[in-house]
Amino acid sequence: MQRWPWLGVCSFLGLPLGGLAGYLVRLATDSPTVGVGTSGATAIGVLGAAAIGLIATVGSRVRQERWPWLGVVGAVLSAAPLALFIVAMMFHR
């Protein structure tokens, strides 16, 4: 019996939750919103987004949810900011 894709849908929550994590770290460290000191907060946000997407996708596969592609697409979209962050760090200076 296949289950409804609740965790597959939750894999799309990586982007807003990762952004919220980065924002909270930025607030907690009193760093400016742009400029020096934001790369650490950004790194926390993009890693959080990728981790949430990945964990939800693995959970959906373990539960054998219906429409497995939904979790995979959510994980890819949640990991996209991490890929952009890595490329930006490689070409920075």
Side-chain angles (χ1 to χ4, degrees), residues 8 11-12 15 53 57 67-80:
S11 67
F12 285 95
L15 286 174
T57 300
W67 306 315
W69 56 268
L70 194 61
V72 173
V73 170
V76 168
L77 287 177
S78 294

Side-chain angles (χ1 to χ4, degrees), residues 21-51:
Y23 179 73
L24 292 175
V25 167
R26 196 174 301 135
L27 284 178
T29 59
D30 294 329
S31 65
T33 55
V34 177
V36 179
T38 61
S39 64
T42 305
I44 299 242
V46 297
L47 284 173

